[in-house]
Each structure stands twice: as C-alpha cells, then as structure tokens.
Amino acid sequence: MTFVIQVAWEKWDFAKDDSYPHCQSFMDPYLILIYVLLATAIVDLVVGVSNDAVNFLNSAVGSKAAPLRTILIVASVGVVVGCTFSSGMMEVARNGLFNPSFFTFDRVMIIFMAVMLTDIILLDIYNSLGLPTSTTVSLVFEILGAAFVTGILLSYDRNLGFPDLHEVINVSSAITIISGIFLSVLLSFVFGSIIQHILRIIFSFDLETSLKKYGALFSGIAITSIVYFLLIKGAKGSFLVTNEQVSWIMENTRNILIVSVVVFSILVQSLMWWKKINPLKFVVLLGTFSLAMAFAANDLVNFIGVPVAGLISFQSWQASGLDPAAYSMDILKGQVSTPYWLLLIAGVIMVITLWTNAKARKVTQTEVSLGRQEEGDELFKSNIVSRAIVGSSVQIGEWVDRLVPPRISGFISARFAKLTNLYRGDREAPSFDLLRASINLLVSSMLIAYGTSKKLPLSTTFVTFMVAMGTSFADMAWGRESAVYRVAGVVNVIASWLITAVVAFTSAGTMALIIYHTGFIGFFALAAAAIFLLIRSHILFNQKQAEEKVLSQVFQGGELDIHQMVEESKASTTKNLKSLRKIMQLSLRALNKGDRNTLVKSNEEVLKLKEQNEKLHHKIIKYVRRIKKGHLGAGRLYILVFDQVQHLYQRAHLISEITTNHIINHHSVPKGEFQQIINELESKISAYVDMVAQSIEGMNFEDEKGIEEQCKKLQEFIRSSLDVQIQKIQQDELGNRMGLLQVRILLAARDIVTAVTQIRQLYREFAQPPSSPNQPTR
C-alpha cells in the first residue's frame, strides 16, 4: 500500500516543489488527507471487487465450465486487458451529480472524505452478508448525500439560507438513475426468462444430442453478441481504439454482426467435428472474459475516481496560491483523467483480490445458490412476500394449464424433463448446465451493450443478477420445494439494492456533517472507526467461515463408513452438550445475581446453539444419505440423536428466555432456599452433562451403574425441589410470578436431564446392541 501511494506521489511530484507555498511540510493536514484518500482507494478496490466479482464469475463457476483456477485466470486476463481499454475518466460529477463550482477546495475535500469512508464500510457490510450490490449506485448516492449536506451547510455559512437544490446537485440525473435501476431489474428478468424458456424448448436438457443439431449456430450467435459487447462496452473510449474506428464500427454494425455469425458458426461446427469440443464451454469462458474486461474498463475507475480527483484538486489548489476556503473547484467540471499506469496498478490489486478474498466467493455463492437447478441448502428463509408471490404464481400456473391444449403442454413438459439422477451423489456437480450459463452471459452482454449505446444508466450488477434469476425461473429451477426460499432470496437482494441508495445517501451525508463541524480531528476519528470496523468484520468473517468449513466437512464428501459416521456424530453431540452446559451455567448464575452481563453471554450461547442446530436441521437428510447403504442402525442413531438435541435446544432456550424476562423487567432475584437450589442444580446438571459427554466421546459405557445412580440422584433432587415449591405455593409463601419462574425452571431442568440420558442411551444401544436374530443391521 505504501509503495503504491509513494509511486503516485512521485508521479505528480508536487509535494517537493517550492512553488507551492501551502504544502511545504509532510505534516500539512491536507497532504495527510491525500495520503489517507489514496489508502482508502486501495481498500475500496478490495471491498468493491469482492462484491462485483459475482458479475463475471457466477455463470462459469455455477456451470463448472472449467476448473476454478482456469476461470480465475480467464477473469484475471480480462481485468488486465480491461485496464488498458479503460478511458480513465473519473465520473466524480457523473451526469452532473453535483456542481463543483459551488464548492471551495476545503469543502469539496469534505465530500471526498465522506464518500470514501462510507463506501468502504457499506460495501464491506454487503460482502460479509454475501449480498451482491451495485458499486456504481452506492458511489453515486454517496456523492449525492455528501454534496447535498455540505452544500446546505456551506450555503448557511455564506448567509444564503437554504440553497436551490439545482445549485448543489442535479435532481433530474438522480431521478434518471433511479428509474434506470427499476427498468434494468424488470427488463433483465423478463428477457432472461423469455430467452431461456425458448432455448430450453429447442435444446431440452439433453444437450449431448441437441448440441449436434443447433450448437454451432447458437454458439455463433452467442460469440458474436459477446464480441459486439466487447466492442461497444469495452473498446469505446479506449486509447487503443480511435474515435474513427469506433464510428466505423457503429456505422457498419449490421454487416459486422451478420458476417460474424456466419464465420463463428462455421468455425465452431468445424471444431465440433474435428476436436469433439463442447462449444458452450468456450462461450461461457469468453463471456466471463468479456464481462471482466468491461468491468475493469468501465467500473474499476469508480473505486479510485474520488481519491484521484482529490489528488488533482489538491495539485490545482497548490498551484493557485489561494486560501483553501477561497479556491473554487471549477476544475472538476471537466472529465478527470487518470494515468494508465495507475489503472494498471488498480487492475493488479483487483486480480490479487479475486484470487485471495473469501468474501468475493461468498457473494458469488449467494447468486449461484439462488439459481441452482437441484435441491440443496437454502440460504434464505421464506417471508410473507415470497409466500404471496409463489402462491399467486401457482394459481396462475394452474389457470394457464387449463387453457393450454394438452398436446402442447405435454410437448413442453417433455422438453423440460430433466435427466434422472444425472448428478445424484456428486458433490462436484454443477449448479446449472452450460446452456443456462451461456444464456446468462449472452443476455447480459446484449442488454448492457444496448443500454450503453443508448446511454441508459444500467447497473452491471442489477442486469447480471436479474438475468440469472430470470433464466433459473424459466428453467423451472424454482420447484415447489424450493421456490418460496429462492424468491425470498431474490426479494431480499432487490430490497438491499433499494436500501443501498438510501443508506449510502444518509450515511455519506452524516459523515460530511460530522467532518464539516469537527474538521480534521473528526475525519481521523471516523477513519480510525472505519479501520476498526473493517478489522473486526474481517476477524468475525474468518471465524464464521472456519465454523462453516468444519460443519461442511461433516456433510460433504463420499460415502461414510460406520467408524467415520460415529466419529462425526459424537463430535457434534458432545459439542452440543458442552454448549448446553454453558447456557445452563450462565442463565442460572445470571438469575441468582440479577447480572445482565452474564445474561448477555447466555443469550449469545443460545444463539450459537440455535444457528448450529438450524444448519444440522437443513442437512440431516444429506448426511444420512451419505451413510453406507444397509446400515439402518447408523442412520437411525443420527436422526434420533438429532431429535433429542432439538429438545435440548428448546429447553435451553426456554430457561434463557425465562431468566431474561425476569431480569430485564427488574424483578427481584430468588432468595433463601431457592437460591441454594439453583446453585446446587447448576452444579449437579453440569457434572452430569460432563459425565455423559465424556462417556459418548470415548464410547465408554462400562460405568453404567455409576451414571444411572448419578441420573437418579439428579432426578430425585429436581422432584424434591419441585415438591418444596408446590408446598410453598399452597401455603401462599410464593407469589404468582416467582412461583411460576421457579416451577418452570425445574420442569425445564427435568426435561434436559431426560433428553441427555436418552442421548447416552442411544449411543450405548448402538455400541452394545442386544443379541437378537431380528436385530436390524447396523
């Protein structure tokens, strides 16, 4: 990072120039701000690329068109080539978003600082959640928000009152961008659905047969469309292509397209005959290259545009010799050009991020999972909107089925019939086939190329995501068993896009307000907070990924033998038992002392146990399917233990909920005899749970008598304690609230002991089955 900043500084070479009286010291505050802005450019590149990588990776990754290493190499080459094709124009005042001449140098630096701090925090949040968003939209609304707030404050400082909005920001441009967002979302989904439906009827799912008939022509059209996309979206404005060449391409578009389709179709057909290649793999990789190149050529500049504009503003102010509060920023009215060496450095950072950043793959996983053809683990829960949409769609579908003649309906159904068990049991199976991946890239390229030629404010993220959702919908990937969850995911992503604009505007405005009134101290405080949040986010994300990796190893892989199954099962069970023990300890201690801090820790443990059991709940069938066929006892053990673990979670959650409600409502803590009961209950249950966990962990059931005796003593203690509370209730020594609290805790503890005992009994019966000729096979 330091090297890049130093190179940038030496290139402009104004820090050492004696003709600049305002910046003779490296401790000059504005000079330090420029260093910080250049550093944020690198951070913004990392978080921005992590989100935008989904645009050009999801089709190739989802269809497994090639090994991941090959896909990343293709995308990396596209990025590097795209950097050389970039026009290098900083869209700081994109479509006239704000009026630079209204601001002085010191105030425009507030806008730039607020925008960059907001952008890196906002995009990192989306990356951590695994949600794709538009980096362009976030930047646009951050500029609008920061400029709006700064403009109002500056106007009041000048005693001008509330300014005319048109003097500060361009309202019409903002409205155009918002309308373009809605338009791109709708059109992308509709066109993706229609084209996918038509081509699936033509090709069916039997691609091996249909490609021999139509593969060459389709590939020729797809390659032509993608190459045209490269010329329109990538080459336009490049220093490698002159304006005359671009004009010639535009004037001869029809002839170029016709000739290209013919040539590419013949070439593909020849290769299919000669080398027996699958042309769709080449189409997908070419599409990945083209979208990666277009991203680097057009969107990459968004991440470094604001810092570079700040650097050039600083250079211009130094040369003027004026006070920063008196120097108008008219220079930003024109296009701010970036040196190509700086774009190449940015491209290298993007490539490194592409290969190393786990958050980029998490965002890609979200889009791929929503378009997955087969059943699997759903990332989103259903909601009222998704249920309403799916319910309405089912009714409309039934109505259409009654209108369509049976012969046509039967023909279409036959074309959409999937090959039975094509990927069953193969964990390396693609999420969707190469035809859908090709259509994703084909339709996305066509829509983006058309929008660019018409100067429509389309978002690459919105187009690629909604095309992918449209094609998966048309491909009947959203079956009755998964539709409500997939639709919920799409609704959540779209809602997050709308929230992006609002949050970006308000957050950047708030940042600008703080910096405006607190100056450099406020900025550096906010920068320190941003650094803390990024580091914290990175640590938490890595911890969560490590936990998910451990869990996924349990449920992925080939067939399990009995030894593997027992090892993984008992590891999961003992982990749950230890979590239960910790929840009981924390909850009962919090209740006895009325300690809110201990209560918070208890609730955190309950949440962890809940998340762990939800993951087990969704993958239990997948796990049982992996157990070697014929071992019914092993499958039965896992399912029955899982059922008892669910009971444990419910009772642990109940105890935590009881204590939480009691403490947060400031009720009195238990006193006297019941306080002693709680202390003894915590100690006895912890000891019993530890004893059972050790027994299961070592699969050692020899001390059966000792454990049974411990269990009976614990159950007797709970029964006698319950009798004491009942007696006090009958004698009016306990109030309603305290009586109910004590009884519910004892009943929940009794159920926990029963469930823990039952879990141990299940493992004991599995390890020492009774000798019987009718005993099912283990």
Side-chain angles (χ1 to χ4, degrees):
M1 181 182 295
T2 305
F3 169 75
V4 175
I5 296 173
Q6 187 63 41
V7 170
W9 205 252
E10 291 174 357
K11 282 285 181 179
W12 267 276
D13 199 26
F14 54 78
K16 304 175 184 177
D17 195 329
D18 294 337
S19 63
Y20 299 149
H22 299 291
C23 192
Q24 295 301 313
S25 170
F26 277 95
M27 295 304 293
D28 183 280
Y30 285 111
L31 181 58
I32 296 173
L33 285 184
I34 297 302
Y35 274 106
V36 174
L37 278 179
L38 289 172
T40 59
I42 297 174
V43 177
D44 204 35
L45 268 172
V46 173
V47 296
V49 169
S50 299
N51 198 281
D52 272 356
V54 67
N55 295 334
F56 48 84
L57 290 180
N58 84 85
S59 292
V61 171
S63 64
K64 297 190 182 297
L68 181 61
R69 181 184 179 87
T70 302
I71 295 171
L72 290 176
I73 290 174
V74 171
S76 300
V77 173
V79 167
V80 174
V81 173
C83 290
T84 65
F85 271 69
S86 178
S87 62
M89 294 302 161
M90 302 291 103
E91 299 183 81
V92 174
R94 180 185 174 95
N95 299 322
L97 280 175
F98 78 105
N99 180 15
S101 60
F102 185 82
F103 301 92
T104 53
F105 170 71
D106 59 337
R107 302 312 180 194
V108 87
M109 289 299 292
I110 292 176
I111 296 175
F112 293 159
M113 291 184 290
V115 166
M116 293 306 296
L117 290 178
T118 304
D119 202 51
I120 59 178
I121 294 173
L122 184 61
L123 291 181
D124 186 68
I125 291 173
Y126 273 93
N127 293 340
S128 299
L129 296 174
L131 295 175
T133 191
S134 171
T135 53
T136 301
V137 169
S138 64
L139 180 69
V140 165
F141 280 91
E142 285 156 4
I143 292 175
L144 280 173
F148 176 70
V149 171
T150 305
I152 292 175
L153 295 173
L154 182 59
S155 182
Y156 275 101
D157 281 351
R158 294 171 177 172
N159 296 319
L160 300 176
F162 195 87
D164 183 355
L165 289 182
H166 293 284
E167 294 180 2
V168 182
I169 60 176
N170 191 327
V171 179
S172 62
S173 291
I175 294 174
T176 301
I177 290 173
I178 294 172
S179 62
I181 292 172
F182 283 106
L183 184 64
S184 64
V185 167
L186 178 63
L187 291 180
S188 299
F189 186 85
V190 170
F191 277 104
S193 300
I194 293 174
I195 294 175
Q196 175 69 37
H197 194 78
I198 294 172
L199 288 175
R200 183 61 74 187
I201 291 175
I202 296 173
F203 282 89
S204 78
F205 281 93
D206 186 8
L207 295 183
E208 186 175 349
T209 301
S210 56
L211 280 178
K212 295 177 182 178
K213 301 177 181 178
Y214 321 111
L217 179 60
F218 171 75
S219 300
I221 295 173
I223 294 171
T224 299
S225 300
I226 292 171
V227 170
Y228 177 69
F229 166 76
L230 288 175
L231 295 174
I232 296 300
K233 185 73 173 173
K236 190 175 181 180
S238 169
F239 72 96
L240 298 178
V241 182
T242 64
N243 291 332
E244 290 76 14
Q245 290 172 326
V246 173
S247 299
W248 183 86
I249 292 173
M250 299 300 293
E251 292 171 359
N252 296 275
T253 296
R254 180 177 299 178
N255 294 333
I256 292 174
L257 294 179
I258 293 174
V259 172
S260 297
V261 169
V262 174
V263 171
F264 285 129
S265 297
I266 294 174
L267 180 61
V268 168
Q269 186 63 66
S270 300
L271 289 173
M272 289 175 66
W273 285 336
W274 181 34
K275 292 291 186 180
K276 307 296 182 184
I277 66 165
N278 185 334
L280 297 184
K281 289 187 176 182
F282 178 75
V283 171
V284 172
L285 292 177
L286 178 63
T288 301
F289 172 86
S290 68
L291 282 179
M293 194 195 90
F295 168 73
N298 296 274
D299 295 342
L300 184 62
V301 77
N302 290 332
F303 306 125
I304 61 176
V306 169
V308 170
L311 185 57
I312 293 177
S313 300
F314 180 71
Q315 179 185 16
S316 175
W317 163 66
Q318 280 193 315
S320 71
L322 297 175
D323 186 83
Y327 183 64
S328 177
M329 297 310 301
D330 290 317
I331 188 175
L332 295 180
K333 277 188 173 181
Q335 293 175 319
V336 182
S337 182
T338 307
Y340 294 105
W341 64 266
L342 188 57
L343 288 173
L344 285 174
I345 290 178
V348 170
I349 294 173
M350 178 180 176
V351 169
I352 294 172
T353 302
L354 206 60
W355 282 83
T356 60
N357 195 288
K359 291 185 179 181
R361 296 175 189 179
K362 183 175 178 64
V363 178
T364 302
Q365 179 190 5
T366 298
E367 185 166 327
V368 170
S369 66
L370 288 175
R372 187 180 55 245
Q373 188 69 46
E374 303 297 335
E375 288 185 28
D377 304 324
E378 303 298 341
L379 299 181
F380 297 90
K381 295 181 180 179
S382 64
N383 53 50
I384 188 171
V385 177
S386 67
R387 289 191 289 269
I389 292 174
V390 172
S392 301
S393 300
V394 170
Q395 292 179 352
I396 293 172
E398 292 173 350
W399 177 72
V400 171
D401 282 342
R402 289 194 292 267
L403 296 179
V404 176
R407 185 175 179 182
I408 297 177
S409 178
F411 171 77
I412 294 176
S413 297
R415 303 303 291 174
F416 277 87
K418 301 175 181 63
L419 301 180
T420 306
N421 295 331
L422 181 61
Y423 300 118
R424 177 58 63 87
D426 183 5
R427 71 187 185 97
E428 298 297 331
S431 296
F432 42 82
D433 64 13
L434 289 166
L435 178 67
R436 174 134 60 99
S438 301
I439 295 171
N440 285 343
L441 295 165
L442 170 64
V443 177
S444 297
S445 299
M446 290 172 62
L447 288 175
I448 295 171
Y450 179 79
T452 301
S453 65
K454 297 297 182 180
K455 298 183 179 180
L456 297 175
L458 297 179
S459 165
T460 305
T461 299
F462 296 163
V463 171
T464 54
F465 179 84
M466 291 310 296
V467 166
M469 295 304 99
T471 56
S472 62
F473 169 74
D475 231 7
M476 299 185 182
W478 299 354
R480 291 290 289 270
E481 302 302 320
S482 62
V484 70
Y485 308 107
R486 307 282 178 89
V487 173
V490 175
V491 170
N492 288 346
V493 171
I494 294 176
S496 74
W497 293 345
L498 302 178
I499 293 172
T500 298
V502 177
V503 172
F505 185 92
T506 55
S507 299
T510 303
M511 291 274 194
L513 177 66
I514 295 172
I515 297 171
Y516 194 97
H517 286 298
T518 59
F520 294 108
I521 295 176
F523 169 71
F524 289 118
L526 290 173
I531 292 171
F532 170 76
L533 290 174
L534 288 174
I535 294 174
R536 181 176 179 272
S537 168
H538 182 72
I539 293 173
L540 293 176
F541 180 82
N542 286 341
Q543 290 176 348
K544 190 172 182 179
Q545 289 295 103
E547 292 174 1
E548 290 181 356
K549 184 178 180 180
V550 171
L551 186 63
S552 66
Q553 288 175 348
V554 175
F555 297 102
Q556 292 181 359
E559 191 175 66
L560 281 173
D561 60 28
I562 293 300
H563 178 72
Q564 287 176 300
M565 174 268 163
V566 171
E567 289 298 315
E568 293 180 359
S569 175
K570 70 182 185 182
S572 175
T573 302
T574 53
K575 183 179 179 181
N576 278 298
L577 289 174
K578 290 175 183 178
S579 295
L580 167 73
R581 182 198 61 194
K582 193 170 185 179
I583 292 169
M584 289 291 295
Q585 289 175 340
L586 292 171
S587 297
L588 294 179
R589 288 174 187 175
L591 177 63
N592 245 357
K593 299 177 181 179
D595 186 351
R596 290 178 176 244
N597 293 329
T598 305
L599 184 65
V600 170
K601 294 178 183 178
S602 172
N603 289 332
E604 289 175 353
E605 289 298 321
V606 170
L607 185 60
K608 289 180 184 178
L609 185 60
K610 177 185 177 183
E611 291 176 351
Q612 183 174 325
N613 279 280
E614 282 182 347
K615 292 173 182 176
L616 289 171
H617 174 76
H618 293 302
K619 297 184 178 183
I620 182 71
I621 300 303
K622 182 186 292 186
Y623 186 90
V624 173
R625 187 178 287 128
R626 286 183 57 212
I627 298 174
K628 195 171 182 178
K629 292 177 175 58
H631 292 274
L632 302 180
R636 186 192 317 113
L637 170 69
Y638 204 88
I639 289 176
L640 293 178
V641 168
F642 170 76
D643 181 55
Q644 293 301 325
V645 168
Q646 295 300 304
H647 290 319
L648 287 180
Y649 161 69
Q650 291 168 6
R651 291 298 172 263
H653 179 267
L654 177 62
I655 289 179
S656 178
E657 184 180 45
I658 291 170
T659 55
T660 298
N661 289 334
H662 192 80
I663 293 173
I664 64 174
N665 288 314
H666 304 285
H667 298 315
S668 58
V669 298
K671 297 178 182 179
E673 187 177 2
F674 191 72
Q675 196 171 50
Q676 296 176 1
I677 289 174
I678 288 178
N679 289 332
E680 194 169 348
L681 180 66
E682 175 208 325
S683 175
K684 289 180 179 294
I685 285 185
S686 296
Y688 182 65
V689 170
D690 280 341
M691 188 180 295
V692 171
Q694 290 173 8
S695 175
I696 293 173
E697 195 169 19
M699 292 299 281
N700 181 8
F701 304 101
E702 293 178 359
D703 188 20
E704 184 67 23
K705 188 175 181 180
I707 292 181
E708 285 184 359
E709 184 178 343
Q710 182 78 9
C711 177
K712 288 178 180 178
K713 287 181 179 180
L714 181 53
Q715 290 174 333
E716 176 59 27
F717 172 76
I718 294 173
R719 187 193 64 77
S720 62
S721 298
L722 184 60
D723 288 345
V724 170
Q725 305 314 310
I726 294 173
Q727 187 178 15
K728 288 188 175 185
I729 292 171
Q730 290 175 340
Q731 295 174 357
D732 287 335
E733 295 180 15
L734 278 179
N736 290 340
R737 184 169 287 108
M738 187 60 73
L740 183 61
L741 168 74
Q742 296 177 3
V743 167
R744 292 181 73 189
I745 286 177
L746 290 171
L747 290 176
R750 181 201 60 184
D751 293 342
I752 285 174
V753 173
T754 301
V756 170
T757 304
Q758 183 62 32
I759 288 174
R760 183 182 181 279
Q761 182 68 14
L762 289 169
Y763 278 100
R764 189 185 70 81
E765 290 177 357
F766 180 80
Q768 303 171 356
S771 55
S772 169
N774 298 322
Q775 179 68 20
T777 305
R778 268 179 33 195

